[in-house]
Amino acid sequence: MHVHVLVLDGVFDAGLALVLDTLDTANALAAAPEQRVRVAVLGVRRRVRTHLGFAVPIVARPRARPDVVIVPALGAKTPDTLERALARRDVVEAAAQLQAAAAAGAQVTAACTATFVLGDAGLLAGRRATTTWWLAPLFRARFPAVALDDAQMVVESDNIVTAGSALAHLDLALWLVRRRSPALARTVANHLLYDARPSQAPYVMPDHLAHADPLVARFEDWARRHLDGFTIGAAARALGATERTLERRVQAVLGKSPLSFVQDLRVAHAVHRLQTTDASLEAIAAEVGYREATTLRTLLRRRTGRGVRELRRA
């Protein structure tokens, strides 16, 4: 299998290193030649530097067509810096190269902020995808034709694969190794002390996402103070908006209903209380508006993938 890692100027250092180190470890531990992959690090330009200023050893483009193209993230830490990076000529040219690679049959993949490059290339329209959770509002606004599932760490949709935030580069690389050999992927994960993280949900900060829109930010602030006894009608009246307007704005920014967002806030509050106090689950459930602890227990398991005891230990 031929893998091309397309590196853009200002690449996220850790993302590039995670991809290359994971694939190199897999090649070193492979039990059979057919499990190994041939990795070529390419650039749109001859000279590429990482976000922290290190030179990337770019090679000449191989004759063999790639089976897989991986695009590590750009080292942008804010929506504004990301949008400026996406407007650069080399990034626009990279999008065209990715279009050509996909048309030729390659599987095109990207993680974190690089998912926006795939979006600009038109490769995500009509498909499911994920992205870094803290840029989900910008992603939804920029790519309304994409079915964004930002809770997932890795999403495969036809020949396009996207991965979530920052360290999800490791998840993406292991996904590729797993295609060759599930057993090899488990061995590599053990060598790298990696624990499976199928979801980004436990790491999401709801208040961070809400600040992408003034009304949604006010809603988040009000809802956080009224988790016990929350109703959408009371929230709309307190904010001076209609229920329909509030529901539409929350859905547009966060990709979910107001009630679903309030459940996120309840989960965040409950996890914090479990990890920082000895309060009983029954008491915490009452704090966030649930009469039965079983309801909260089920919600925590569904949203975080962890049980109450595991959350307390964390």
Coordinates of all heavy atoms in Angstrom, one line a residue, residues 32-119:
A32 N 4.4 -9.6 8.6 CA 4.5 -10.0 7.2 C 4.7 -8.8 6.3 O 4.2 -7.7 6.6 CB 3.2 -10.8 6.8
P33 N 5.4 -9.0 5.2 CA 5.6 -7.8 4.3 C 4.4 -7.1 3.8 O 4.4 -5.9 3.6 CB 6.4 -8.5 3.1 CG 7.0 -9.7 3.7 CD 6.0 -10.2 4.7
E34 N 3.3 -7.9 3.6 CA 2.1 -7.3 3.0 C 1.4 -6.4 4.0 O 0.5 -5.6 3.6 CB 1.1 -8.4 2.5 CG 0.6 -9.3 3.6 CD 1.5 -10.6 3.7 OE1 2.7 -10.5 3.2 OE2 1.1 -11.5 4.3
Q35 N 1.8 -6.4 5.3 CA 1.2 -5.6 6.3 C 1.8 -4.2 6.3 O 1.3 -3.2 6.9 CB 1.3 -6.2 7.7 CG 0.5 -7.5 7.9 CD 0.7 -8.0 9.3 OE1 1.6 -7.6 10.0 NE2 -0.2 -9.0 9.6
R36 N 3.0 -4.1 5.7 CA 3.7 -2.8 5.7 C 3.2 -1.8 4.7 O 2.6 -2.2 3.7 CB 5.2 -3.0 5.5 CG 5.9 -3.9 6.5 CD 7.4 -3.9 6.4 NE 8.0 -4.8 7.4 CZ 8.3 -6.1 7.3 NH1 8.1 -6.7 6.1 NH2 8.8 -6.7 8.3
V37 N 3.4 -0.5 4.9 CA 3.0 0.5 4.0 C 4.2 1.3 3.6 O 5.1 1.5 4.3 CB 1.9 1.4 4.6 CG1 0.6 0.6 4.9 CG2 2.4 2.1 5.8
R38 N 4.1 1.8 2.3 CA 5.2 2.7 1.9 C 4.7 4.1 2.0 O 3.7 4.5 1.4 CB 5.5 2.4 0.4 CG 6.1 1.0 0.2 CD 6.5 0.8 -1.3 NE 7.1 -0.5 -1.5 CZ 7.6 -0.9 -2.7 NH1 7.5 -0.1 -3.7 NH2 8.1 -2.1 -2.8
V39 N 5.4 4.9 2.8 CA 5.0 6.2 3.2 C 5.9 7.3 2.5 O 7.2 7.2 2.5 CB 5.1 6.5 4.7 CG1 4.7 7.9 5.0 CG2 4.2 5.4 5.4
A40 N 5.3 8.2 1.8 CA 6.0 9.3 1.1 C 5.5 10.6 1.7 O 4.3 10.8 1.7 CB 5.9 9.3 -0.4
V41 N 6.4 11.5 2.1 CA 6.0 12.8 2.7 C 6.1 13.8 1.6 O 7.3 14.1 1.1 CB 6.9 13.2 3.9 CG1 6.5 14.5 4.4 CG2 6.8 12.1 5.0
L42 N 5.0 14.4 1.1 CA 5.0 15.3 0.0 C 4.5 16.7 0.4 O 3.9 16.8 1.4 CB 4.0 14.7 -1.1 CG 4.3 13.3 -1.6 CD1 3.2 12.9 -2.6 CD2 5.7 13.1 -2.1
G43 N 4.8 17.6 -0.4 CA 4.3 19.0 -0.2 C 3.9 19.6 -1.5 O 4.3 19.2 -2.6
V44 N 3.1 20.7 -1.3 CA 2.7 21.4 -2.5 C 3.9 22.3 -3.0 O 4.0 22.5 -4.2 CB 1.5 22.3 -2.2 CG1 1.1 23.2 -3.4 CG2 0.3 21.5 -1.8
R45 N 4.7 22.7 -2.0 CA 5.9 23.4 -2.3 C 7.1 22.6 -2.0 O 7.0 21.6 -1.2 CB 6.0 24.7 -1.5 CG 4.8 25.7 -1.8 CD 4.9 26.3 -3.1 NE 3.9 27.3 -3.3 CZ 2.7 27.1 -3.9 NH1 2.5 25.9 -4.4 NH2 1.8 28.1 -4.1
R46 N 8.3 22.9 -2.5 CA 9.5 22.2 -2.2 C 10.0 22.3 -0.8 O 10.6 21.4 -0.2 CB 10.6 22.6 -3.2 CG 10.4 22.2 -4.7 CD 11.5 22.6 -5.5 NE 11.3 22.3 -6.9 CZ 12.2 22.5 -7.9 NH1 13.4 23.1 -7.6 NH2 12.0 22.1 -9.1
R47 N 9.7 23.5 -0.2 CA 10.1 23.7 1.1 C 8.9 23.9 2.0 O 8.1 24.8 1.7 CB 11.0 25.0 1.2 CG 12.4 24.8 0.5 CD 13.2 26.0 0.6 NE 14.5 25.9 -0.1 CZ 15.5 26.8 -0.2 NH1 15.3 27.9 0.5 NH2 16.6 26.6 -0.8
V48 N 8.9 23.2 3.1 CA 7.7 23.2 4.0 C 8.3 23.3 5.4 O 9.2 22.5 5.8 CB 6.8 22.0 3.8 CG1 5.7 22.0 4.9 CG2 6.2 22.0 2.4
R49 N 7.7 24.1 6.2 CA 8.1 24.2 7.6 C 6.8 24.0 8.5 O 5.7 24.3 8.1 CB 8.7 25.5 8.0 CG 10.1 25.7 7.4 CD 10.8 26.9 8.0 NE 12.2 26.9 7.6 CZ 13.2 26.3 8.1 NH1 13.0 25.5 9.2 NH2 14.4 26.4 7.7
T50 N 7.0 23.4 9.7 CA 5.9 23.1 10.6 C 5.5 24.4 11.2 O 6.2 25.5 11.1 CB 6.4 22.1 11.7 OG1 7.3 22.8 12.5 CG2 7.0 20.9 11.1
H51 N 4.5 24.4 12.0 CA 4.0 25.5 12.7 C 5.0 26.1 13.7 O 5.1 27.3 13.9 CB 2.7 25.1 13.5 CG 2.1 26.2 14.3 ND1 1.5 27.3 13.8 CD2 2.0 26.4 15.7 CE1 1.1 28.1 14.7 NE2 1.4 27.6 15.9
L52 N 5.9 25.2 14.2 CA 6.9 25.6 15.2 C 8.2 25.9 14.5 O 9.2 26.2 15.1 CB 7.1 24.5 16.2 CG 5.9 24.3 17.2 CD1 6.2 23.2 18.2 CD2 5.5 25.6 17.9
G53 N 8.2 25.9 13.1 CA 9.4 26.3 12.4 C 10.4 25.2 12.0 O 11.5 25.5 11.4
F54 N 10.1 24.0 12.2 CA 11.0 22.9 11.8 C 10.8 22.6 10.3 O 9.7 22.5 9.8 CB 10.8 21.6 12.6 CG 11.1 21.8 14.1 CD1 10.1 22.1 15.0 CD2 12.4 21.7 14.5 CE1 10.4 22.3 16.3 CE2 12.7 21.9 15.9 CZ 11.7 22.2 16.8
A55 N 11.9 22.3 9.6 CA 11.9 21.9 8.2 C 11.4 20.5 8.0 O 11.8 19.6 8.8 CB 13.3 22.1 7.6
V56 N 10.5 20.3 7.1 CA 9.9 19.0 6.8 C 10.7 18.4 5.6 O 10.8 19.0 4.6 CB 8.4 19.1 6.5 CG1 7.9 17.7 6.2 CG2 7.7 19.7 7.7
P57 N 11.2 17.2 5.7 CA 11.9 16.5 4.6 C 11.0 16.0 3.5 O 10.5 14.9 3.5 CB 12.7 15.4 5.3 CG 11.8 15.0 6.4 CD 11.2 16.3 6.9
I58 N 10.7 16.9 2.5 CA 9.8 16.6 1.4 C 10.6 15.7 0.4 O 11.7 16.0 0.1 CB 9.3 17.9 0.8 CG1 8.5 18.7 1.8 CG2 8.4 17.6 -0.4 CD1 7.3 18.0 2.4
V59 N 9.9 14.7 -0.2 CA 10.5 13.9 -1.2 C 9.8 14.2 -2.5 O 8.7 14.8 -2.6 CB 10.4 12.4 -0.9 CG1 11.0 12.1 0.5 CG2 8.9 12.0 -0.9
A60 N 10.5 13.8 -3.6 CA 9.9 13.9 -5.0 C 8.7 13.0 -5.1 O 8.6 11.9 -4.4 CB 10.9 13.5 -6.0
R61 N 7.7 13.4 -5.8 CA 6.5 12.7 -5.9 C 6.8 11.3 -6.6 O 7.3 11.2 -7.7 CB 5.4 13.4 -6.8 CG 4.1 12.8 -6.8 CD 3.1 13.7 -7.5 NE 2.9 14.9 -6.7 CZ 2.1 15.0 -5.7 NH1 1.3 14.0 -5.3 NH2 2.0 16.2 -5.1
P62 N 6.4 10.2 -5.9 CA 6.6 8.9 -6.5 C 5.8 8.6 -7.8 O 4.8 9.3 -8.0 CB 6.2 7.9 -5.4 CG 6.1 8.8 -4.1 CD 5.8 10.1 -4.6
R63 N 6.3 7.7 -8.6 CA 5.5 7.4 -9.8 C 4.2 6.6 -9.5 O 3.2 6.8 -10.1 CB 6.4 6.5 -10.7 CG 7.6 7.2 -11.3 CD 8.3 6.3 -12.3 NE 9.4 7.0 -12.9 CZ 10.2 6.5 -13.8 NH1 10.1 5.2 -14.2 NH2 11.2 7.2 -14.4
A64 N 4.3 5.8 -8.5 CA 3.1 5.0 -8.1 C 2.0 5.9 -7.5 O 2.3 6.8 -6.7 CB 3.5 3.9 -7.1
R65 N 0.8 5.7 -8.0 CA -0.3 6.4 -7.5 C -0.6 6.0 -6.0 O -0.4 4.9 -5.6 CB -1.6 6.1 -8.3 CG -1.6 6.8 -9.7 CD -2.9 6.5 -10.4 NE -3.0 7.2 -11.7 CZ -4.0 7.2 -12.5 NH1 -5.1 6.4 -12.2 NH2 -4.0 7.8 -13.6
P66 N -1.0 7.0 -5.2 CA -1.3 6.6 -3.8 C -2.6 5.8 -3.6 O -3.6 6.1 -4.3 CB -1.4 8.0 -3.1 CG -1.9 8.9 -4.2 CD -1.3 8.4 -5.5
D67 N -2.5 4.9 -2.7 CA -3.8 4.2 -2.3 C -4.5 5.1 -1.3 O -5.7 5.1 -1.2 CB -3.5 2.8 -1.7 CG -2.8 1.9 -2.7 OD1 -3.4 1.6 -3.7 OD2 -1.6 1.6 -2.5
V68 N -3.7 5.8 -0.5 CA -4.3 6.6 0.6 C -3.5 7.9 0.7 O -2.3 7.9 0.5 CB -4.2 5.9 2.0 CG1 -4.7 6.8 3.1 CG2 -4.9 4.6 2.0
V69 N -4.2 9.0 0.8 CA -3.6 10.3 1.1 C -4.0 10.8 2.4 O -5.2 10.8 2.8 CB -4.0 11.4 0.0 CG1 -3.4 12.7 0.3 CG2 -3.6 10.9 -1.4
I70 N -3.0 11.2 3.3 CA -3.3 11.7 4.6 C -2.9 13.2 4.7 O -1.8 13.5 4.3 CB -2.6 10.9 5.7 CG1 -2.9 9.4 5.6 CG2 -2.8 11.5 7.1 CD1 -2.1 8.6 6.6
V71 N -3.8 14.0 5.1 CA -3.5 15.4 5.3 C -3.5 15.8 6.8 O -4.6 15.8 7.4 CB -4.5 16.3 4.6 CG1 -4.0 17.8 4.6 CG2 -4.7 15.9 3.1
P72 N -2.3 16.0 7.4 CA -2.3 16.4 8.8 C -2.8 17.8 8.9 O -2.8 18.6 8.0 CB -0.8 16.3 9.1 CG -0.2 15.5 8.1 CD -1.0 15.7 6.8
A73 N -3.1 18.2 10.1 CA -3.8 19.5 10.4 C -2.8 20.7 10.2 O -1.6 20.6 10.3 CB -4.2 19.5 11.9
L74 N -3.4 21.8 9.9 CA -2.7 23.1 9.9 C -2.6 23.5 11.4 O -3.5 23.2 12.2 CB -3.5 24.1 9.1 CG -3.5 23.9 7.6 CD1 -4.7 24.6 7.0 CD2 -2.2 24.4 7.0
G75 N -1.6 24.2 11.7 CA -1.4 24.6 13.1 C -2.1 25.8 13.5 O -1.6 26.7 14.3
A76 N -3.4 26.0 13.1 CA -4.2 27.1 13.4 C -4.9 26.8 14.7 O -5.5 25.8 14.8 CB -5.2 27.4 12.3
K77 N -4.9 27.8 15.6 CA -5.5 27.6 16.9 C -6.8 28.4 17.1 O -7.4 28.3 18.2 CB -4.5 28.0 18.0 CG -3.2 27.3 17.9 CD -3.3 25.8 18.1 CE -2.0 25.1 18.3 NZ -1.1 25.2 17.2
T78 N -7.2 29.2 16.1 CA -8.4 30.0 16.2 C -9.1 30.0 14.9 O -8.5 29.7 13.9 CB -8.2 31.5 16.6 OG1 -7.5 32.1 15.6 CG2 -7.3 31.6 17.9
P79 N -10.4 30.2 14.9 CA -11.2 30.3 13.6 C -10.6 31.3 12.6 O -10.5 31.0 11.4 CB -12.6 30.6 14.0 CG -12.7 30.1 15.4 CD -11.4 30.3 16.0
D80 N -10.2 32.4 13.1 CA -9.6 33.5 12.2 C -8.3 33.0 11.6 O -8.1 33.2 10.4 CB -9.4 34.8 13.0 CG -10.7 35.5 13.4 OD1 -11.7 35.2 12.8 OD2 -10.7 36.4 14.3
T81 N -7.4 32.5 12.4 CA -6.1 32.0 11.8 C -6.4 30.9 10.8 O -5.7 30.8 9.8 CB -5.1 31.6 12.9 OG1 -5.7 30.6 13.7 CG2 -4.8 32.8 13.7
L82 N -7.3 30.0 11.1 CA -7.6 28.9 10.2 C -8.2 29.5 8.8 O -7.7 29.0 7.8 CB -8.6 28.0 10.8 CG -9.1 26.8 9.9 CD1 -7.9 26.0 9.4 CD2 -10.1 26.0 10.6
E83 N -9.1 30.4 8.9 CA -9.7 30.9 7.7 C -8.6 31.6 6.8 O -8.6 31.5 5.6 CB -10.8 31.9 8.0 CG -12.0 31.1 8.5 CD -13.3 32.0 8.7 OE1 -13.2 33.0 9.4 OE2 -14.3 31.7 8.1
R84 N -7.7 32.3 7.5 CA -6.6 32.9 6.7 C -5.7 31.9 6.0 O -5.3 32.0 4.9 CB -5.7 33.8 7.6 CG -6.4 35.1 8.0 CD -5.4 36.1 8.5 NE -4.8 35.7 9.8 CZ -5.3 36.0 11.0 NH1 -6.5 36.6 11.1 NH2 -4.7 35.5 12.1
A85 N -5.4 30.8 6.8 CA -4.6 29.7 6.2 C -5.3 29.0 5.0 O -4.7 28.7 4.0 CB -4.3 28.7 7.3
L86 N -6.6 28.8 5.1 CA -7.3 28.2 4.1 C -7.4 29.0 2.8 O -7.5 28.5 1.7 CB -8.8 27.9 4.5 CG -8.9 26.9 5.6 CD1 -10.4 26.8 6.1 CD2 -8.5 25.5 5.1
A87 N -7.2 30.3 2.9 CA -7.2 31.2 1.7 C -5.8 31.3 1.0 O -5.7 31.8 -0.1 CB -7.6 32.6 2.1
R88 N -4.8 30.7 1.6 CA -3.5 30.7 1.0 C -3.4 29.9 -0.3 O -4.2 29.0 -0.5 CB -2.4 30.1 2.0 CG -2.1 30.9 3.2 CD -1.0 30.4 4.0 NE -0.6 29.0 3.7 CZ -0.4 28.1 4.7 NH1 -0.5 28.4 5.9 NH2 0.0 26.9 4.3
R89 N -2.6 30.4 -1.2 CA -2.5 29.8 -2.5 C -2.1 28.3 -2.5 O -2.7 27.4 -3.2 CB -1.5 30.5 -3.4 CG -1.4 29.9 -4.9 CD -0.6 30.8 -5.8 NE -1.2 32.1 -5.9 CZ -0.6 33.1 -6.7 NH1 0.6 32.8 -7.3 NH2 -1.2 34.2 -6.8
D90 N -1.1 28.0 -1.6 CA -0.7 26.6 -1.5 C -1.8 25.7 -1.0 O -1.9 24.5 -1.4 CB 0.6 26.4 -0.7 CG 0.3 26.8 0.8 OD1 -0.3 27.9 1.0 OD2 0.8 26.1 1.7
V91 N -2.6 26.2 -0.1 CA -3.7 25.4 0.5 C -4.8 25.2 -0.6 O -5.4 24.1 -0.7 CB -4.3 26.0 1.7 CG1 -5.5 25.2 2.3 CG2 -3.2 26.1 2.8
V92 N -5.1 26.2 -1.4 CA -6.0 26.1 -2.5 C -5.5 25.1 -3.5 O -6.3 24.2 -4.0 CB -6.3 27.4 -3.1 CG1 -7.2 27.3 -4.4 CG2 -6.9 28.4 -2.1
E93 N -4.2 25.1 -3.8 CA -3.7 24.1 -4.7 C -3.7 22.7 -4.2 O -3.9 21.7 -4.9 CB -2.2 24.5 -5.1 CG -2.1 25.8 -5.9 CD -0.7 26.2 -6.2 OE1 0.2 25.4 -5.9 OE2 -0.4 27.3 -6.6
A94 N -3.5 22.6 -2.9 CA -3.6 21.3 -2.2 C -5.0 20.7 -2.4 O -5.2 19.5 -2.6 CB -3.3 21.4 -0.7
A95 N -6.0 21.5 -2.3 CA -7.4 21.1 -2.4 C -7.6 20.5 -3.8 O -8.3 19.5 -4.0 CB -8.4 22.2 -2.2
A96 N -7.0 21.2 -4.8 CA -7.1 20.7 -6.2 C -6.4 19.3 -6.3 O -6.9 18.4 -7.0 CB -6.6 21.7 -7.2
Q97 N -5.3 19.2 -5.7 CA -4.6 17.9 -5.7 C -5.4 16.8 -5.1 O -5.4 15.6 -5.5 CB -3.2 18.0 -5.1 CG -2.2 18.9 -5.8 CD -0.8 18.9 -5.2 OE1 -0.5 18.0 -4.3 NE2 0.0 19.8 -5.6
L98 N -6.1 17.1 -4.0 CA -6.9 16.1 -3.3 C -8.1 15.7 -4.2 O -8.5 14.5 -4.2 CB -7.3 16.7 -2.0 CG -6.2 16.9 -0.9 CD1 -6.8 17.7 0.3 CD2 -5.6 15.6 -0.5
Q99 N -8.7 16.6 -4.9 CA -9.7 16.3 -5.8 C -9.3 15.3 -6.8 O -9.9 14.3 -7.1 CB -10.2 17.6 -6.5 CG -11.0 18.5 -5.6 CD -11.4 19.8 -6.4 OE1 -10.7 20.2 -7.4 NE2 -12.5 20.4 -6.0
A100 N -8.1 15.5 -7.4 CA -7.5 14.7 -8.4 C -7.2 13.3 -7.8 O -7.5 12.2 -8.5 CB -6.3 15.3 -9.0
A101 N -6.7 13.2 -6.6 CA -6.4 12.0 -6.0 C -7.6 11.1 -5.7 O -7.7 9.9 -6.0 CB -5.6 12.2 -4.7
A102 N -8.7 11.8 -5.3 CA -9.9 11.1 -5.0 C -10.5 10.6 -6.3 O -11.1 9.5 -6.4 CB -10.9 12.0 -4.3
A103 N -10.5 11.4 -7.4 CA -11.0 11.0 -8.7 C -10.3 9.8 -9.2 O -10.8 9.0 -10.0 CB -11.0 12.2 -9.6
A104 N -9.0 9.7 -8.9 CA -8.2 8.6 -9.4 C -8.3 7.3 -8.6 O -7.7 6.3 -8.9 CB -6.7 9.0 -9.4
G105 N -9.1 7.4 -7.5 CA -9.4 6.2 -6.7 C -8.7 6.1 -5.4 O -8.9 5.1 -4.6
A106 N -8.0 7.1 -5.0 CA -7.3 7.1 -3.7 C -8.3 7.4 -2.6 O -9.3 8.1 -2.8 CB -6.2 8.1 -3.6
Q107 N -8.0 6.8 -1.4 CA -8.8 7.2 -0.2 C -8.2 8.4 0.4 O -7.0 8.4 0.7 CB -8.8 6.0 0.8 CG -9.8 6.1 1.9 CD -10.3 4.7 2.3 OE1 -9.5 3.8 2.3 NE2 -11.6 4.6 2.7
V108 N -8.9 9.5 0.5 CA -8.4 10.7 1.0 C -8.8 10.9 2.5 O -10.0 10.8 2.8 CB -8.9 11.9 0.1 CG1 -8.4 13.2 0.7 CG2 -8.4 11.7 -1.3
T109 N -7.9 11.2 3.3 CA -8.1 11.3 4.8 C -7.5 12.6 5.3 O -6.6 13.1 4.8 CB -7.6 10.1 5.5 OG1 -6.1 10.3 5.6 CG2 -7.9 8.8 4.8
A110 N -8.1 13.1 6.4 CA -7.6 14.3 7.1 C -8.0 14.3 8.5 O -9.0 13.7 8.9 CB -8.1 15.6 6.3
A111 N -7.3 15.0 9.3 CA -7.6 15.1 10.7 C -7.7 16.6 11.2 O -7.0 17.5 10.6 CB -6.6 14.4 11.6
C112 N -8.4 16.9 12.2 CA -8.5 18.2 12.8 C -8.8 19.3 11.8 O -9.7 19.2 11.0 CB -7.2 18.4 13.6 SG -7.2 19.7 14.8
T113 N -8.0 20.3 11.8 CA -8.2 21.5 10.9 C -8.1 21.1 9.4 O -8.7 21.8 8.6 CB -7.3 22.7 11.3 OG1 -6.0 22.2 11.2 CG2 -7.6 23.2 12.6
A114 N -7.4 20.1 9.1 CA -7.2 19.7 7.7 C -8.6 19.2 7.1 O -8.7 19.1 5.9 CB -6.2 18.6 7.6
T115 N -9.5 18.8 8.0 CA -10.8 18.4 7.4 C -11.5 19.6 6.6 O -12.2 19.4 5.7 CB -11.8 18.0 8.5 OG1 -11.9 19.1 9.5 CG2 -11.2 16.8 9.2
F116 N -11.1 20.8 7.0 CA -11.6 22.0 6.3 C -11.0 22.1 4.9 O -11.7 22.5 3.9 CB -11.2 23.3 7.0 CG -12.1 23.6 8.2 CD1 -12.0 22.8 9.4 CD2 -13.1 24.6 8.2 CE1 -12.8 23.1 10.5 CE2 -13.9 24.8 9.3 CZ -13.8 24.1 10.4
V117 N -9.8 21.6 4.7 CA -9.2 21.5 3.3 C -10.0 20.6 2.5 O -10.3 20.8 1.3 CB -7.7 21.1 3.4 CG1 -7.1 21.1 2.0 CG2 -6.9 22.0 4.3
L118 N -10.4 19.4 3.0 CA -11.2 18.5 2.3 C -12.6 19.1 2.0 O -13.1 18.9 0.9 CB -11.4 17.2 3.1 CG -10.4 16.1 2.9 CD1 -9.0 16.5 3.2 CD2 -10.8 14.8 3.7
G119 N -13.1 19.8 2.9 CA -14.4 20.5 2.7 C -14.3 21.5 1.5 O -15.2 21.6 0.7

